Amino acid sequence: MSEPQSGAPARRGLSPGAVTAALVTPAYLWLTVAIFLPLVAMLVFSFLTAAPFGNRAVEFTGAHYLVFYNRPYLVEVALRSLALGAWTTGICALIGLPAALALSRAFRGRTREVLFFLVILPFWTNGLVRVFSWTMVLRENGILDDIVRAFWADAPSIGILYSYPAIVVGLVHAYLPYMILTCYLSVVAIDDEILEAARSLGARAPVVFGKIVLPLAAPGLIAGSVLIFVPVIGSFMEPRILGGTAGVTIGTVIEDQFTQAFNWPLGSALSFIMLAVVLVVFAVFSRALRGRLTLS
Amino acid sequence: MAAVDAETIGKSYGATAVLDDVSLRFEDGRFTSLLGPSGSGKTTLLRIVAGFVTADRGRILIGGEDVTSVPVWKRAIGMVFQSYALFPHMSVDDNVAFGLARRGVRGAEASRRVGEALEMVRLSGFGARRPKELSGGQQQRVALARAIVTRPRVLLLDEPLSALDRRLRQEMQVELKRIQREVGITTIFVTHDQEEALALSDHVAILDRGRIVQAGPPGEIYERPATRFAASFLGDANFLEGVVAEGGVIVGGVLVRTDDPLPAPGTKALLAVRPEKIALVPAWGAAPAGHNAVPATVRQVVYAGAASTYLLDGPGGVALTVFAQNRTGGPVAEAGATVTLAFPPKQTILIKD
């Protein structure tokens, strides 16, 4: 070696720019084919009067974007979907943060590994199987009722299938792992000595939680909330199967446009409106996240 | 301010006794070090005083008040941790003000006291910064300010300097001692660093395997160690093992005298001599009158400029060490030379094995 090694060794005949391009191109090619092209097609559809598959003449129109104005009941449906997102996210946070705290503080070694496996299990289960198994549990005279009646024979049915709460139960089950995992990452990084320092300074348990644990867990809570809220407001499987007549959400309405009404342009327009809502949610949270994440 | 008493503290984890019947008084306003190797129970004792660990037996008293069943947050302690343990999401000011707010001190009064505390640790003007924008030494000073701003009854320090590099550690030792004097707070300091303990403490307690081996002023422990462990953990020591005879102890056929009262002749005894108390007398010289004179062979000389360390083989092949200043230009004996080791009986300490 006659020359000293530089930090970035130059490859023969290839500039660093070319190397970067060669590495990045497959990924961008994939994104273009799998996401960008379909999105563009959908965007075009959303401005057409009808799906361009029949013999009917097709014209450009912006009318589908006025759908919330033309069909006021959809506003209610959209609000209910947003409420569903809020309920699901909130309950996931209420269960997920304590679960993450327990995982990181109370369990060690093998026990922790097994519990992690159980947390992640829903990820590996087929969504339909998972949702239909909930119908077995939640229906009248279902498994839930059987369990209650094992202790109290004349108990009235507490079956909640085909109701709004049933949808929330199914969605919480599906999305809770996201919250537990993101919170776990935040919480496991909190040094025990920080909590002890707070106690030594006179903080009781609720104060330690409110002033130390919660702010330090905030990045995980926010990340988990984004991961849950966004798919939940567009969900259609859980509302349809567990919700029955109560299960009309913006997700099911969009699905109907594609599968039942064959009104692809309206479905596309609704999808893009939801996409806009999601992007606004992202923008708001990412600002909050940036402020938080710079701490850790 | 208050004295702290640990009374017959016992603590076991499973079958392992971490602390075995430990009693110790931490005098009001005094700086006491708990010195010992890892696993000696020093940190556990500190955490029992703090209230993070509950003792199986015994009581903790702070200022005469039994706090054994008082929770940590009510004990009015200040604690500094090895990892600093600053709240990363709060500014320096908010970190220091945290304990004040828990005691209902807020607003102008709180800002005034936060300012005073930061001034005491020489960090005025750093109040708006975040902990991660400070160096390790600065973070440790914030931790100290946060611990004393509430005027706790006792300050607990859990190896607070061990994460700092050597130069910074020495600086912080001076700072820590100054602040402790200014505040006059009862301080318990856990360390495994004997130099740190000697430099900072008014009082040192040496722990070994869950027991207090010896406690006293650092000078007393150094000059009059009670056991082999105390003598070797605090400073270096030569150990001479032999059988008690009339007027001294026979070590490898040589009579070594001591001023300490000896047990009955014929029993085994252990003597300790610090390496710097021994003078090297060349073979042609004579030991001063009244001194012990022990023949030895120089095995190795480690020259270090101002002083040399001599490693020798003494009577019966016992390994000995002598520190001597190089007053005459270079070592006084070469490897292989036969010398006489001279040391006064007063500095020859009878210790327990």
Side-chain angles (χ1 to χ4, degrees):
Chain A
M1 292 291 276
S2 55
E3 284 178 54
Q5 274 188 308
S6 65
R11 295 267 179 276
R12 263 160 290 143
L14 275 179
S15 71
V19 173
T20 310
L23 288 171
V24 166
T25 303
Y28 276 99
L29 215 59
W30 171 252
L31 286 176
T32 307
V33 172
I35 294 178
F36 188 67
L37 286 181
L39 269 181
V40 169
M42 294 277 283
L43 190 63
V44 173
F45 282 4
S46 72
F47 285 104
L48 299 179
T49 46
F53 300 130
N55 298 323
R56 279 189 296 168
V58 166
E59 287 172 33
F60 281 98
T61 174
H64 300 307
Y65 283 91
L66 298 173
V67 63
F68 282 101
Y69 178 78
N70 294 330
R71 304 186 188 181
Y73 74 94
L74 280 181
V75 174
E76 197 194 321
V77 171
L79 286 178
R80 192 162 42 183
S81 299
L82 290 173
L84 193 64
W87 273 109
T88 307
T89 309
I91 293 173
C92 281
L94 283 179
I95 303 174
L97 181 59
L101 280 170
L103 272 174
S104 68
R105 305 273 146 190
F107 299 104
R108 301 244 175 278
R110 190 123 197 104
T111 322
R112 194 193 277 187
E113 281 169 29
V114 171
L115 287 170
F116 254 114
F117 177 78
L118 292 177
V119 164
I120 295 170
L121 208 55
F123 278 152
W124 298 339
T125 321
N126 178 285
L128 272 175
V129 172
R130 199 179 56 224
V131 175
F132 273 113
S133 61
W134 274 113
T135 65
M136 300 291 129
V137 175
L138 296 178
R139 72 186 157 89
E140 253 179 74
N141 304 323
I143 296 172
L144 191 61
D145 281 352
D146 288 347
I147 292 172
V148 171
R149 282 171 190 157
F151 297 99
W152 179 22
D154 304 326
S157 170
I158 54 165
I160 53 166
L161 190 59
Y162 305 133
S163 70
Y164 196 78
I167 307 175
V168 174
V169 167
L171 287 169
V172 166
H173 181 221
Y175 290 101
L176 186 58
Y178 291 106
M179 187 62 87
I180 294 179
L181 292 178
T182 54
C183 284
Y184 178 81
L185 289 178
S186 287
V187 163
V188 80
I190 303 174
D191 192 342
D192 282 339
E193 288 194 343
I194 287 180
L195 305 182
E196 288 180 349
R199 289 164 68 199
S200 78
L201 290 165
R204 315 170 65 149
V207 178
V208 174
F209 181 80
K211 298 259 178 194
I212 311 292
V213 175
L214 205 52
L216 292 176
L221 279 171
I222 294 172
S225 299
V226 171
L227 285 177
I228 293 171
F229 187 77
V230 170
V232 163
I233 58 174
S235 65
F236 55 88
M237 193 171 66
E238 288 87 352
R240 200 177 277 284
I241 298 170
L242 298 172
T245 51
V248 179
T249 63
I250 206 74
T252 63
V253 170
I254 292 173
E255 195 211 0
D256 281 344
Q257 302 313 311
F258 284 95
T259 60
Q260 310 286 325
F262 210 67
N263 191 349
W264 286 30
L266 181 60
S268 304
L270 281 168
S271 300
F272 273 97
I273 293 167
M274 291 308 289
L275 186 64
V277 171
V278 163
L279 287 177
V280 168
V281 169
F282 259 122
V284 170
F285 274 112
S286 74
R287 181 155 301 173
L289 262 180
R290 242 200 310 281
R292 290 292 184 188
L293 283 178
T294 47
L295 306 174
S296 46
Chain B
M1 305 307 129
V4 176
D5 288 283
E7 289 182 353
T8 61
I9 295 293
K11 178 72 189 174
S12 305
Y13 289 111
T16 329
V18 182
L19 288 173
D20 188 6
D21 202 20
V22 168
S23 293
L24 192 61
R25 183 173 173 82
F26 304 91
E27 291 287 350
D28 189 4
R30 203 155 72 174
F31 195 116
T32 306
S33 288
L34 299 176
L35 179 64
S38 56
S40 60
K42 56 188 192 302
T43 300
T44 306
L45 181 56
L46 188 81
R47 294 173 65 78
I48 287 173
V49 173
F52 293 124
V53 175
T54 310
D56 300 336
R57 294 176 300 282
R59 302 195 304 165
I60 296 291
L61 288 85
I62 299 179
E65 176 204 344
D66 188 345
V67 297
T68 314
S69 53
V70 174
V72 179
W73 60 271
K74 258 167 118 179
R75 284 197 186 188
I77 55 163
M79 185 147 174
V80 178
F81 297 83
Q82 193 172 351
S83 66
Y84 319 133
L86 297 178
F87 307 131
H89 58 299
M90 295 184 191
S91 68
V92 167
D93 275 343
D94 291 345
N95 262 281
V96 178
F98 185 87
L100 291 174
R102 303 285 80 73
R103 286 161 175 75
V105 182
R106 291 165 205 271
E109 167 74 357
S111 342
R112 188 181 60 75
R113 281 172 65 175
V114 168
E116 277 175 15
L118 288 179
E119 196 182 320
M120 177 165 277
V121 298
R122 300 180 205 264
L123 279 179
S124 298
F126 285 77
R129 299 222 194 161
R130 297 273 176 166
K132 69 164 190 179
E133 295 166 353
L134 303 177
S135 71
Q138 289 169 335
Q139 288 187 36
Q140 197 56 288
R141 281 188 279 168
V142 174
L144 187 59
R146 184 178 68 175
I148 58 176
V149 73
T150 57
R151 294 170 196 153
R153 292 186 291 181
V154 53
L155 178 63
L156 308 174
L157 308 170
D158 183 9
E159 307 218 19
L161 308 180
S162 62
L164 303 173
D165 66 52
R166 191 177 169 76
R167 213 177 57 85
L168 203 55
R169 193 158 66 220
Q170 284 168 346
E171 260 177 54
M172 277 300 290
Q173 283 177 10
V174 176
E175 287 281 282
L176 186 56
K177 189 69 194 164
R178 173 183 65 80
I179 291 164
Q180 194 264 340
R181 284 240 175 80
E182 273 179 42
V183 182
I185 186 171
T186 312
T187 303
I188 307 178
F189 179 71
V190 161
T191 183
H192 62 266
D193 184 331
Q194 45 143 326
E195 278 175 44
E196 214 163 81
L198 286 174
L200 288 169
S201 318
D202 305 314
H203 210 76
V204 177
I206 297 185
L207 278 88
D208 181 32
R209 282 171 288 173
R211 290 170 182 272
I212 291 182
V213 174
Q214 192 174 2
E220 186 187 304
I221 295 189
Y222 184 79
E223 301 296 342
R224 308 285 316 166
T227 68
R228 184 195 282 266
F229 182 85
S232 58
F233 198 77
L234 198 71
D236 292 290
N238 293 300
F239 297 107
L240 301 167
E241 243 175 311
V243 178
V244 178
E246 194 58 43
V249 177
I250 307 284
V251 181
V254 181
L255 182 74
V256 180
R257 282 164 293 138
T258 170
D259 284 2
D260 295 346
L262 284 168
T267 54
K268 283 194 169 179
L270 182 65
L271 300 172
V273 191
R274 296 289 185 188
E276 77 281 4
K277 309 283 198 261
I278 302 176
L280 269 184
V281 182
W284 60 86
H291 278 45
N292 285 311
V294 173
T297 312
V298 179
R299 184 155 36 89
Q300 201 183 338
V301 182
V302 183
Y303 177 74
S308 293
T309 302
Y310 301 85
L311 305 175
L312 311 106
D313 294 317
V318 59
L320 299 171
T321 307
V322 172
F323 299 147
Q325 305 243 305
N326 294 321
R327 290 202 184 131
T328 54
V332 296
E334 301 294 330
T338 304
V339 294
T340 301
L341 305 180
F343 48 95
K346 193 175 178 341
Q347 310 291 358
T348 310
I349 315 297
L350 178 72
I351 60 172
K352 288 203 273 289
D353 204 350

